[in-house]
Amino acid sequence: RCADKGSDMRAMSEVELAVENSDVRRLRDLLGGGSLPNPDAPNPDGATLLVRASVRGSHACAGLLLEHRANPDIACGCYAETALQVCCARGEVGVAKVLIEAGSKINKADSLGRTPLFLSCLKDWPACTALMLDARAESERRSHTAHNPSASSQHSRPCWH
């Protein structure tokens, strides 16, 4: 049983490395070999693989992870953000499209009440904002600080670097 845990840890590390490097070919090989013990398990920083793909702007890695049953709506990190919130805060339109097509909840709020639309407006990413509006995101929804998506907020720092 300990050997199984060790091999799971090595496999996850290889998968994490492929995601971190946006190495789609390596990730495809690893996933094809059954090297994804739990796609929604957070790394030591609290980020899921899908969040890491969002940070890297790798829509191809995000798509592969979703094909292998990664949950797009897992909230993680210091503000309980989903992959869609993270990519909208970073202006990663390609990843946002993949997540929306996979059924990500477009109006899910983080622990501060910020939705993906709110974050894209806050960070001034017009393409992400347009994508969210086209997907019918709620534009009148307010954060916990009573701001709407077009307002600014003192809580603008995303957790993911």
Side-chain angles (χ1 to χ4, degrees), residues 53-121:
S54 296
V55 167
R56 295 291 182 216
S58 179
H59 66 280
C61 285
L64 281 171
L65 292 166
L66 289 163
E67 287 174 20
H68 285 82
R69 297 186 291 227
N71 183 340
D73 295 315
I74 296 287
C76 54
C78 56
Y79 296 128
E81 294 173 305
T82 65
L84 185 57
Q85 290 159 337
V86 170
C87 70
C88 283
R90 298 176 66 82
E92 298 295 349
V93 179
V95 179
K97 286 179 185 176
V98 169
L99 292 166
I100 291 168
E101 289 170 3
S104 186
K105 295 177 183 173
I106 61 170
N107 292 310
K108 187 170 181 172
D110 66 10
S111 64
L112 298 175
R114 303 173 307 176
T115 63
L117 175 61
F118 181 96
L119 291 164
S120 67
C121 288

Side-chain angles (χ1 to χ4, degrees), residues 15-16 19 23 31 41 56 74 76 79 91-92 94 103-104 106 121 148 150 153 158 160:
V15 170
E16 285 178 339
V19 171
D23 188 343
L31 296 177
R56 295 291 182 216
I74 296 287
C76 54
Y79 296 128
E92 298 295 349
S104 186
I106 61 170
C121 288
N148 67 18
S150 62
S153 170
W160 314 107

Side-chain angles (χ1 to χ4, degrees), residues 116-138:
L117 175 61
F118 181 96
L119 291 164
S120 67
C121 288
L122 180 66
K123 296 295 186 172
D124 197 23
W125 296 113
C128 274
T129 299
L131 176 68
M132 295 309 301
L133 290 172
D134 287 346
R136 304 209 187 279
E138 295 174 8

